[in-house]
Amino acid sequence: MTDNAVILYSRSADNRNAQLYNTMLQHLRMRGCRVVVPTQLFEQLHQLSIAHADILEKLDTEPSKVEALAVFSIGGDGTFLEAARLMMGSDVPVLGINNGRLGFLSDVAEQNVPEAIDSVLAGNYRLGSLDVISLYANDERTPIDFALNEFAVSKCDNASMLTIHAYIDGEYLTTYWADGLIIATAAGSTAYSLSVGGPIVCPSTPNLIITPVAPHNLNVRPLIVPSGSVVQLRIEGRGPNILASLDGRNHVMDNGCRLRIAKAPFSVKVVQLQSHSFFASLREKLMWGADMRNH
């Protein structure tokens, strides 16, 4: 592919976001870009009769093997995670365009898309790197799945709480009696982990956050460990199965299973525009500093 090839990724295209695609494709055409999209999105955009859709090319290989300047993920953080998963192990960075709701990973507003495209094409951005974690079951050497935000284990039904024996690098940590346990990356600290009381961690810091969900031993608190740590779990419950989830993808596991969570040998590259500020995102999206007393 040419040096000006880019990939567009989205879960879907419809009349609600048609104008955004019109703007993007018009701007990319003006900049002489080749635009590659997955087959489903290619067909949806043509069915909508999106202007400039004639410049689109179908993605006919694995996304991680495509030589491109960047991937533009259009949607919310869930869409960004899907795009990032497709590009795991690739040097092609991902830029999130927020066409969803609350977004920490997808933080480029629609009105700023033309400027964002120009910045990517000019190389006027910082290249960030986000850790990926791998999940292994029992003594298997091949990972079951990967996650950019978090791994979570929880009850598979309405059974009583789980008993989760946790070890860090082989050393016993504690036993959690809880509805579940979350192990989040720094990037995932503003997602599920935050909702159950976990700390916010700067995305670029090499850490894992271990956060229990509804623990019965109330003196247990979230714990931050180095991202190079290997977390081992032995999980017991009253039901026959437990649920292991990685960025929302579920795997049903046998009761009594032993799980291992470790940093993957690769990362996900992300585009960080010069105007991007994680702290500004916190103030805006979490309304820090806003006086809500008169609202």
Side-chain angles (χ1 to χ4, degrees):
M1 288 193 176
T2 64
D3 290 340
N4 275 0
V6 299
I7 301 172
L8 298 189
Y9 181 84
S10 179
R11 287 174 172 172
S12 63
D14 53 39
N15 289 323
R16 292 171 297 179
N17 53 23
Q19 184 54 51
L20 173 60
Y21 283 104
N22 279 326
T23 300
M24 291 190 69
L25 294 182
Q26 180 181 20
H27 203 75
L28 289 166
R29 163 166 264 163
M30 290 171 56
R31 297 297 182 266
C33 293
R34 295 180 62 189
V35 184
V36 186
V37 297
T39 299
Q40 180 178 339
L41 184 59
F42 179 92
E43 294 172 350
Q44 289 174 344
L45 290 172
H46 278 85
Q47 289 171 0
L48 287 172
S49 299
I50 296 292
H52 309 286
D54 58 302
I55 70 170
L56 297 175
E57 301 177 18
K58 284 186 183 180
L59 184 60
D60 57 3
T61 185
E62 292 183 24
S64 60
K65 296 181 179 179
V66 175
E67 295 181 8
L69 290 175
V71 178
F72 293 103
S73 168
I74 305 164
D77 280 357
T79 305
F80 183 97
L81 291 173
E82 291 179 6
R85 177 175 170 76
L86 292 175
M87 304 311 295
M88 284 181 181
S90 168
D91 289 330
V92 179
V94 183
L95 175 68
I97 296 170
N98 192 351
N99 191 40
R101 291 173 290 180
L102 183 68
F104 283 95
L105 297 171
S106 296
D107 65 346
V108 175
E110 290 188 34
Q111 63 269 24
N112 297 328
V113 165
E115 293 82 359
I117 291 173
D118 288 343
S119 294
V120 170
L121 297 182
N124 185 26
Y125 61 87
R126 301 184 300 273
L127 188 63
S129 181
L130 300 181
D131 285 340
V132 177
I133 52 177
S134 307
L135 172 66
Y136 301 83
N138 302 316
D139 296 320
E140 294 293 331
R141 302 178 66 88
T142 301
I144 294 174
D145 204 346
F146 302 95
L148 185 66
N149 262 3
E150 76 275 312
F151 157 84
V153 61
S154 60
K155 301 180 296 181
C156 205
D157 47 35
N158 293 324
S160 60
M161 64 183 177
L162 298 175
T163 300
I164 306 169
H165 307 285
Y167 301 79
I168 306 294
D169 294 330
E171 180 181 350
Y172 176 67
L173 172 64
T174 190
T175 296
Y176 297 95
W177 293 277
D179 284 353
L181 188 70
I182 300 167
I183 300 173
T185 64
S189 71
T190 52
Y192 188 12
S193 176
L194 178 63
S195 73
V196 296
I200 295 175
V201 178
C202 291
S204 59
T205 56
N207 294 306
L208 294 176
I209 305 105
I210 304 173
T211 309
V213 179
H216 280 228
N217 39 346
L218 299 179
N219 56 336
V220 172
R221 292 292 181 263
L223 175 67
I224 298 175
V225 299
S227 62
S229 302
V230 177
V231 182
Q232 297 152 302
L233 306 176
R234 182 165 53 86
I235 305 163
E236 302 167 359
R238 293 187 180 178
N241 303 113
I242 63 166
L243 195 64
S245 176
L246 294 99
D247 289 348
R249 297 181 305 278
N250 295 327
H251 301 267
V252 177
M253 315 293 293
D254 292 335
N255 181 24
C257 67
R258 290 172 288 113
L259 302 179
R260 187 170 81 257
I261 298 92
K263 181 180 176 181
F266 53 84
S267 61
V268 169
K269 304 298 187 296
V270 294
V271 173
Q272 296 177 342
L273 300 178
Q274 300 297 342
S275 58
H276 168 79
S277 166
F278 177 66
F279 302 118
S281 292
L282 290 179
R283 291 194 302 272
E284 175 190 352
K285 299 179 187 301
L286 299 183
M287 296 182 289
W288 284 7
D291 188 347
M292 304 301 292
R293 291 172 295 181
N294 296 321
H295 290 263

